[in-house]
Amino acid sequence: MHTFADLIAVWPSPEDMADDLQRPVTTVRSWRDRNSIHKKHWPDILGAAERRGFPINELTLARIALGSSHEAA
């Protein structure tokens, strides 16, 4: 998992992730398209991933964010 798009793809669909996070699906699709998820959403993502048994933790998110910032540079 190297990008936020990869992270979102762990869910069966963007709609499923949006349902888990109680966010509009347009928000999840925007995150995927921008390859960016603001840190304020990370706790909710971690909780949703844990409930589904997905191997996502704070380190996963930090590595993706660091990689994304290096790609933008």
Side-chain angles (χ1 to χ4, degrees):
M1 197 174 322
H2 301 288
T3 67
F4 285 112
D6 293 342
L7 178 136
I8 292 166
V10 170
W11 267 261
S13 70
E15 292 82 4
D16 288 320
M17 185 180 196
D19 287 344
D20 287 355
L21 299 174
Q22 298 180 354
R23 301 272 193 296
V25 70
T26 54
T27 298
V28 174
R29 288 183 181 143
S30 177
W31 293 341
R32 180 192 61 200
D33 295 346
R34 284 192 331 256
N35 191 37
S36 177
I37 301 174
H38 193 279
K39 289 181 183 181
K40 71 181 181 183
H41 301 293
W42 290 10
D44 292 336
I45 291 168
L46 293 171
E50 182 178 354
R51 287 189 297 277
R52 285 196 175 248
F54 295 156
I56 298 168
N57 57 37
E58 289 180 26
L59 184 56
T60 305
L61 294 170
R63 284 182 177 160
I64 292 171
L66 182 61
S68 295
S69 68
H70 281 119
E71 290 171 14

